[in-house]
Every structure is written in structure tokens, then in C-alpha cells.
Amino acid sequence: MKLADSSAPSLVDRFGRQVSYLRISVTDRCDFRCIYCMAEDMQFLPRAQILTLEEIETVASAFVALGVDKIRITGGEPLVRKGVLDLLRKLGRLEGLRELVLTTNGSHLAEMAAELREAGVKRVNISLDTLDPDRFRQMTRFGSLERVLGGIEAARQAGFDRVKLNSVILRNRNHQDVRPLVAFALSQGLDISFIEEMPLGVVDGHDRAEEYYSSDEIRHDLEREYTLLPTTEGTGGPSRYLRVAGTQTRIGFISPHSHNFCGSCNRVRLTAEGRLLLCLGNEHSVDLKRVLRSHPGDAERLQRAIVASLAIKPERHYFELREQPVIFRHMNMTGG
Ligand code: SAM
Ligand code: SF4
């Protein structure tokens, strides 16, 4: 594919936001069923409907040619997609891509961490909501805490630039885990981000409004034990960071409800079925799979479709926890 030259259109939306970050959901499937992410009984997409690995690579190359310099591979659980390592190796070689990063539930990291690092993955985010094995099982429905802890250890050994934990905190489910999770992050030299639950898709078994636990409450819990210092450091995502005094550990807060971050949004998402989603909290999207399959090999047409899509990037999301979700897509389609 032709690389962007200085005359290539840049990815700037109607609100002046430059898009430099693409998140790709490589599969909607997962070996867990986290209660905030999925219903217990999920229908997954038939194989023919999801992008092939070659198609994903083509879209990624087009974005990099247009100036995107950071790609996150996510899912579903990205490490259950067959061939994902090959894809990562290819993406790792894309000229112009500064950062290739991954979000995973950690269940396959023990056997894959070293190869992921070799493939060119710079940083990994690992989801971990509790250190209590029973609560872990309740939150993930199918997950094994032991396996994930083994995966975290393998990631530490593999030499990534940074390993970060992601924790979704729900009132009366795992809010008591906030301080133990930070103690764990400190003991392992990891960063950690706390995420407010977003109302994406219909989930069974819990009430999102009743179980909402805000970033401010989490911060308050932590300040009873730790001194948190402001830091201007960021990772180019939606987290606001604080540093734990006397340590290298950063604590991030992803607060879609309490601290809207849309003004600085630099992201778009490719869903597992090849829709380019312009905002996690809206349905504005462009069907890139149709472009790919109706004009195979036409890189310019694909780039034009991507540039044109920015005209419909919404200004912000409006999440409402007390009503039925207006977004019927679950998080596994877009990968957080
Ligand atoms: N399976 C991988 C994992 O769990 O890390 C990657 C995909 S997962 C959808 C990406 C992130 O989204 C995870 O950190 C998960 O905790 C978070 N997540 C899932 N559903 C969410 C929701 N409804 N609200 C907020 N975060 C959510
Ligand atoms: Fe799977 Fe990640 Fe969703 Fe949990 S949050 S069900 S691990 S995709």
C-alpha cells in the first residue's frame, strides 16, 4: 500500500480532533463472560461475517498510511483468535506505527506473552477486577484467577514497556477490591486503571444504575491509604492519571459518566465485523467490510472511505444508566 505523503489528507474531524489511534476488535468471541460486558448466553457472529486477518491488516495499513500511529488489538478476547500472532507480527512491521498495544483478559498470556513481545507488541493491558478467586469467578462467569495471575507474571517477565491492569468496579460486587488491587499493582510494579461501567448492550444479572461506583468514590477509598500525586503523564487514551507517591505506579481513571473525555477523543474503532465505529457511545459507523469486499485491492478507495467517515464522528457520548441501553452492541464487538 502507498504510504502517506505530506499531501495526504489527515484524519481531522468536524470538531478539530485529530484521529491518531485505532482500536481493532479481532473477534467478538471470548472464553469469559464478564457480567458487565456480556449476557450469559451470547450469540457470536458466524465466521463469514467477521473480517479475515488479511482484511484487518489491509485496514490497519490504510490507517497508518493516513497518519495513525497507535493501534490497540482487542476483542472479545484477542488471544483466542487463531492466527492473531501472525497478524501482530505483520502490524509490528508497519512503517509509521509507533505503538502496537494489546488488551487481554490474560487467560492465554502465560503461553503467549513472550511471542507477543517478539511480534512487536509494546504494552499490554490486562483486565483484573478482583484478587478473590470466588469473586473473580462471579465477575467473569468462566474465568480462573490463577490462570490470569500466571499470565500477568508472564507479561512481567516478557519485557513489555509497560503492563497495566484494567479494573471495572461495581458497587457491592468488587468495590471492596479497590485497595487490594492497588496494593497488588504496587507490589508488581504495574499501572492500574479503574473504569466506570458503560451501558453497552443488554446484560443480565445486575442493575447498572444500582451498581454504579464512581471514579471519585474510588479515589476517596484510595486516599485513605495512599498519597496520590497529580501527573501530566498520559498514554494517549481516555485515562486521567495520578501517581502513587514514592512509586512508579500510575493510577488511571476512565470515567465516562463522571468526567467526560470526549473533547480530547483521538480514537476510532474497527469492529470484528468490519464496521468503522466513530464513537463507542453512538452508532455512527461506516461499513469498511463492504468497501473491502466490493473493491478488493483498491487501497485508495479504502482510504477515501476512512477520510470521509470522519464527517460523522459525533461530538460526544451520552450514557444513561437508569434507562435501557440505547446502544445494543456489547463491548466485545468494539473492545473497550
Ligand atoms: N477481553 C479483553 C479484556 O477483557 O481485557 C479485551 C476486550 S474487553 C471488552 C476490553 C475492556 O473493556 C476490558 O478492560 C473490560 O473490563 C472493559 N469492559 C467491558 N465491558 C465494559 C463495560 N460495559 N463498561 C466498561 N468497561 C467494559
Ligand atoms: Fe471477555 Fe473481555 Fe468482555 Fe470479559 S471484558 S467478557 S474478558 S471480552
Side-chain angles (χ1 to χ4, degrees):
M1 175 165 302
K2 231 172 40 175
L3 278 182
D5 54 43
S6 54
S7 61
S10 75
L11 295 178
V12 178
D13 77 357
R14 291 175 294 155
F15 307 98
R17 295 172 300 189
Q18 171 94 42
V19 169
S20 56
Y21 181 1
L22 172 67
R23 294 189 178 186
I24 303 178
S25 171
V26 295
T27 177
D28 59 331
R29 288 165 198 261
C30 186
D31 47 350
F32 292 4
R33 296 284 183 281
C34 301
I35 54 170
Y36 43 77
C37 178
M38 294 194 188
E40 184 153 18
D41 184 22
M42 291 287 289
Q43 291 288 325
F44 294 109
L45 293 167
R47 181 164 282 269
Q49 241 167 281
I50 65 166
L51 292 187
T52 64
L53 295 174
E54 292 71 25
E55 287 170 333
I56 293 174
E57 188 195 345
T58 303
V59 175
S61 310
F63 269 98
V64 174
L66 288 166
V68 160
D69 64 0
K70 175 172 175 183
I71 293 181
R72 177 173 301 283
I73 297 298
T74 171
E77 174 45 43
L79 301 186
V80 304
R81 174 99 196 236
K82 224 170 138 207
V84 74
L85 271 169
D86 278 341
L87 172 70
L88 285 163
R89 283 188 198 103
K90 287 179 180 147
L91 300 187
R93 288 196 288 268
L94 282 180
E95 207 181 310
L97 185 63
R98 192 175 45 85
E99 276 198 294
L100 178 62
V101 296
L102 176 83
T103 303
T104 172
N105 66 22
S107 66
H108 292 275
L109 268 181
E111 63 273 19
M112 293 175 79
E115 283 180 291
L116 289 165
R117 184 68 194 99
E118 277 164 32
V121 174
K122 281 212 173 140
R123 296 189 280 116
V124 285
N125 289 355
I126 306 170
S127 298
L128 180 70
D129 302 327
T130 173
L131 290 158
D132 178 283
D134 293 333
R135 275 205 292 282
F136 188 88
R137 175 71 62 165
Q138 283 157 17
M139 296 285 288
T140 62
R141 292 196 182 99
F142 294 133
S144 148
L145 175 64
E146 206 184 336
R147 265 181 82 84
V148 172
L149 293 180
I152 293 172
E153 180 54 26
R156 286 183 61 225
Q157 301 297 331
F160 293 104
D161 289 0
R162 210 139 200 159
V163 177
K164 179 164 76 93
L165 305 176
N166 274 346
S167 310
V168 176
I169 301 298
L170 306 183
R171 183 180 307 280
N172 297 331
R173 292 260 179 195
N174 65 336
H175 76 262
Q176 63 276 53
D177 291 300
V178 164
R179 283 195 287 170
L181 283 166
V182 167
F184 176 72
L186 287 170
S187 72
Q188 306 291 303
L190 310 175
D191 291 337
I192 180 164
S193 277
F194 292 105
I195 308 174
E196 291 177 349
E197 182 181 9
M198 298 173 223
L200 299 178
V202 176
V203 293
D204 40 10
H206 85 285
D207 181 324
R208 282 175 159 149
E210 271 175 23
E211 298 190 10
Y212 171 61
Y213 202 72
S214 72
S215 295
D216 288 348
E217 289 172 282
I218 296 172
R219 183 171 171 173
H220 181 75
D221 292 346
L222 290 174
E223 283 176 338
R224 285 170 28 213
E225 192 159 336
Y226 301 106
T227 304
L228 303 181
L229 304 173
T231 165
T232 51
E233 287 172 80
T235 54
S239 272
R240 294 171 297 127
Y241 282 101
L242 296 170
R243 187 181 285 284
V244 182
T247 77
Q248 291 302 308
T249 291
R250 291 178 303 183
I251 301 185
F253 297 92
I254 302 178
S255 322
H257 302 285
S258 57
H259 294 267
N260 183 281
F261 43 70
C262 301
S264 59
C265 181
N266 58 353
R267 299 171 286 289
V268 291
R269 297 172 164 85
L270 183 67
T271 70
E273 57 181 339
R275 261 195 313 145
L276 181 65
L277 193 67
L278 283 309
C279 169
L280 193 56
N282 286 281
E283 286 302 359
H284 303 60
S285 69
V286 169
D287 186 356
L288 291 186
K289 182 173 67 188
R290 195 178 53 74
V291 179
L292 285 163
R293 294 192 181 173
S294 53
H295 302 279
D298 191 343
E300 278 184 25
R301 186 179 287 261
L302 180 61
Q303 289 190 14
R304 276 204 305 278
I306 292 170
V307 171
S309 73
L310 288 199
I312 57 164
K313 186 168 165 63
E315 184 171 14
R316 54 165 298 171
H317 65 246
Y318 295 92
F319 285 137
E320 180 46 75
L321 287 173
R322 297 206 173 272
E323 287 161 18
Q324 279 298 306
V326 284
I327 304 292
F328 291 106
R329 126 181 75 75
H330 289 92
M331 189 67 122
N332 62 316
M333 292 302 298
T334 51

